[in-house]
Amino acid sequence: MGSITLPLGGSDPVAPPFCLPALQRTPHQQFVLRRGPYPARPDVCSLELVRGCAHRCVFCPSRTQSNYVGDESVVLFDGLADRLAVELAARKDKPRIVLIGPDTDPFQPLPEIQRETLKIVDVLSRNGVVSWLSTRGSIEPSVLDELSEHREAIRVTVGLTSLDPEIQKALEPAASPAAERLHLITELKALKIPVEVNLEPLLPNVTDQRDSLRAMLESLADREVNQVSAGYLVLRPGVRKQMERELASRPWLEAALSAYDDGPMLRDGNQLSQFLHKSKRQRGYAMLMSLAANLGIEVRLSGSTNPDFYSPPPAVRPGRIVPSLRQAFRDSLQTAGPNDLFGA
């Protein structure tokens, strides 16, 4: 596939031109479905249809892993939908929900990937399994039309970081502009496809400022979005260095990263990662929730980016009244998974 320069939009003199990565194909050598990522939900599985991603997000931990294929290529697992059909036919216990591409975007700006995503959705739908797709890209019109035929069996999460073109392009260099993703939300709702919005990752002192959040939430309220999920950036191994390298010219980088200087190292799956200090996250979420409540939007907090928020609620003595704001905040601290996002 030839190189295609991606238009960046705006007049940012710092942003480099990007070309679409070359598409390679390889057979899938293992089982297609894998358990997780929610230990308490055995009925939820995940599936990766590609290695690599064209969006080049600077906060993406996949780009720091030793098996990352590089920014110049994307590897598509050939015939994955057919293998999935065979695997599902052989299973006695089919999953209820499958996350398609939890580590890489299923709607990258490569037609072959989007068409394969559509085939996978079709296989899952025919087997009574819900497809959960998360994207920072745009969906081709023909693909979107065919997806609408499976509206009862798909859920879509659209990720947003900022409405500021300079900040958004710096964080997600080759992802779709925020305006295109807002339009995608409008299209999905018009087609009656369940859509959730994910304000993640929030970047301290940059994207979590009151005016920025208010503008984002107002744009979503205009599109009748009534629920969002959110979580602050987690500095997973290699992510800080990646950001320092790729955002070196940005004047706000130091303010963002220095906010983590007093943050804890917490267990993050099988590794330790640095989290923003709990009190800073609490203040940021409280402001987000307050702004959202004024617009009729409910905020759910990501469990994976707030592992230290989750503990059994204290016993309430008879006759004791729990303050409503505290209860509302506590109620919001739920793992952002299929159960929370889509009432599964």
Side-chain angles (χ1 to χ4, degrees), residues 88-107:
L88 286 172
R91 289 178 65 120
K92 294 181 179 179
D93 56 334
K94 292 182 175 61
R96 184 181 180 195
I97 298 173
V98 170
L99 282 66
I100 300 177
D103 295 331
T104 53
D105 201 304
F107 294 114

Side-chain angles (χ1 to χ4, degrees), residues 13 24 43 61 86 93 99 104 125 143 153 163 185 201 238 240 251 288 312 323 336:
Q24 302 176 19
D43 58 336
V86 172
D93 56 334
L99 282 66
T104 53
S125 179
V143 173
L163 296 188
I185 292 169
R240 178 188 282 269
L288 173 63

Side-chain angles (χ1 to χ4, degrees), residues 291-322:
L291 293 170
N294 290 333
L295 296 166
I297 297 176
E298 179 185 3
V299 178
R300 299 283 186 173
L301 303 184
S302 167
S304 61
T305 58
N306 301 287
D308 48 349
F309 279 8
Y310 298 88
S311 60
V316 179
R317 295 189 302 272
R320 180 187 171 194
I321 299 176
V322 179

Side-chain angles (χ1 to χ4, degrees), residues 1-7 17-22 56 109-111:
M1 182 174 182
S3 295
I4 302 175
T5 301
L6 290 174
F18 287 104
C19 294
L20 286 175
R56 307 187 189 196
L110 293 164

